[in-house]
Amino acid sequence: MSLRIALNNQPEFYTNLDFIQGRVILGLNRPEQIGSIVVKLEGESTTALQVPNTFDPDSMRPGMPRQAPGSICSENHKILYKVQQVFPDDYYASSSNPYGAYPLQPGEHEFPFKFKLPINNACSDPRAMAQIGGVANPGGFGGGFFGMGGVRVMDGSKQLFLSHTTRTLPPSLTGYPREAEIRYYIKVTVQRPGLLKENWRYQIGLKFLPIEPPRAARTSQEAFARRPFTFQMRTPQPERTRSSFFGMRSEDPKNGSISEPAADQDPTPSVEISARLPHPPVLTCNQPVPLRLIAKKLSNNPDDVYLVSFEMNLIGYTEVRAENLHNRKVNRWVVASNAGLNIPLTSSPTDPVGKELVIPDNIWSNMSLPNTVAPSFATCNLSRRYELEVKLGVAWGQPRRGSKQAQVIYLPLHFSKVDVFSGITPPEELLQAASANRPTGPTFDSIPPRLPPRRQSSVSSPTTSRPTQQVPHVPQQQTNPPPQQQPAYDPLYPPQLGPGQTAPPPDDAPPSYDEAMAENLAGPFDGMQSRPAYSGVTNENAPSSMPPGKN
């Protein structure tokens, strides 16, 4: 027996509204009784944190889980869950089989499947989660031999006990072993009826990168981080004398004391450097940072000031949550670094105070963000945000090799909030639908239930001496709820019932607005747009690094 999944034209990663097409290839060397073959498209956001020591005052926080110190609290959110039954098809389902199994002859069998990736996560929809069962018959596929051994489906009711948020599907993410990961995969299960027969399973991983949200219209506004600086006064050097061959001393005019500035000049140069980004500050994966550096002269001093070093770092903060435990992971990417610069920050010594000079951007304009940078995201138990830090080294006077007289100041410029987008432009139809009026509100019905009818009592109060007027009692019409209608079907083709079932299983929950809209939209890569590089997951087919026993 051999079981594998072959994807058609598999790209480096998938994104929202993409179609995932492939085949389940089952090779048999003898006849087998197969109950069903089910393909699942799943996405999981899993976190696990250790309960800290309660005797540590730094770790004691209100709302901590009541578990023993050292135990593991984990959360597993099914952000994506789609199921498709590829066997039995119409031909095999037309034949009646009392045991719910169908014979397959030896050879290689192929079963095609097709999924479309949605826009938002699935675990935030309570109706959809409540419709998914975890046992064999209700919500499962195949009854098995004597009603046993059906295909197990996720128990969606467990997701109702977790706190969720409706957001765009997050990107694939690893790199935090035994603490956090986001994985997408396709799983196939071949159900074999029988008491002593195991089901066959196979799984293949996927990389996922979401589309970016709608960008704001480009304006001339800029976000900036500026820092003025002033050099310290140089310490006068003592005069050096040198002796000749005959013991006579002579003065060296080149190594004399530092000349004092004129009366109308400042003693030290002062320059202000500002880093500017388009507002709102948005960076794009696999693209250079749209940064501008501007130097402004603040003091009347003819000495030259030079930019001698440049370093740009992207800092990522990953917020991990499991129940009421929180942890922050910090990552740092060096986007550009150069320590051998010699760029003047003034055009000439006679520049007036207040003149600005734009620093050439050839230092960082050719440096793109690393392909390991994931876009900013927020899901139920994981989130990622970014900050940008620029470190500049500024020297008073032109630095020379072997000279230690050049005074260098290092200036940090910091952007506390920077968004990183994936660079995958959403379809134009999706942008138009997002800007138009759409129904808002929770998934539940926001109308409260009606109160039951109050019965009027004709008994008067015993403390009242006046006779009360008798009000004729009018019986209220009791509104009985309408009988639940069974789904209509053709009497010649009744629904297939598994062993022990007296009624067909309930239909799936109606699609939400986002799902219905996504089914009619084309993917972002249906045209000529190319897919950028992304390596947020080292190996999508590697085993999970999370601790066992996750729910």
Side-chain angles (χ1 to χ4, degrees), residues 310-466:
F310 175 86
E311 182 178 345
M312 182 191 300
N313 297 324
L314 183 66
I315 308 173
Y317 296 92
T318 305
E319 304 291 340
V320 184
R321 184 189 63 83
E323 297 185 5
N324 291 329
L325 298 178
H326 298 265
N327 189 23
R328 175 180 294 178
K329 309 294 291 186
V330 182
N331 297 89
R332 184 181 294 266
W333 291 268
V334 179
V335 181
S337 179
N338 195 337
L341 302 177
N342 192 9
I343 301 176
L345 299 182
T346 55
S347 57
S348 67
T350 60
D351 287 343
V353 177
K355 184 176 181 179
E356 295 182 349
L357 177 67
V358 179
I359 302 176
D361 60 349
N362 54 1
I363 310 172
W364 63 88
S365 61
N366 298 325
M367 301 294 180
S368 303
L369 293 182
N371 58 2
T372 56
V373 175
S376 305
F377 69 91
T379 185
C380 305
N381 54 348
L382 272 174
S383 64
R384 168 73 67 84
R385 64 180 182 88
Y386 290 97
E387 297 180 359
L388 186 65
E389 184 183 50
V390 180
K391 295 182 180 179
L392 305 175
V394 183
W396 180 4
Q398 186 173 9
R400 298 177 181 177
R401 293 183 179 179
S403 176
K404 299 182 180 180
Q405 295 182 0
Q407 184 181 154
V408 180
I409 296 179
Y410 294 95
L411 304 176
L413 302 177
H414 196 82
F415 292 90
S416 59
K417 184 179 179 181
V418 174
D419 292 329
V420 177
F421 285 1
S422 63
I424 304 176
T425 306
E428 188 65 27
E429 297 85 354
L430 182 60
L431 296 177
Q432 295 177 0
S435 59
N437 294 330
R438 51 164 294 176
T440 58
T443 311
F444 310 82
D445 291 332
S446 58
I447 304 177
R450 293 185 303 174
L451 295 176
R454 302 179 62 180
R455 296 181 180 180
Q456 297 181 0
S457 176
S458 60
V459 180
S460 61
S461 174
T463 59
T464 306
S465 58
R466 295 178 56 185

Side-chain angles (χ1 to χ4, degrees), residues 8 70 122 126 141 144 147 287 411 519 528:
N8 301 338
F141 295 91
Q287 293 186 13
L411 304 176
E519 290 297 330
M528 301 301 295

Side-chain angles (χ1 to χ4, degrees), residues 52-62 64:
N53 189 2
T54 55
F55 297 99
D56 186 5
D58 297 335
S59 61
M60 296 181 63
R61 295 185 300 271
M64 289 181 56

Side-chain angles (χ1 to χ4, degrees), residues 102-123:
Y102 307 93
L104 285 182
Q105 300 302 321
E108 189 173 271
H109 304 269
E110 294 186 358
F111 307 95
F113 63 87
K114 183 178 180 180
F115 294 102
K116 187 171 185 179
L117 289 168
I119 300 177
N120 297 334
N121 56 330
C123 59

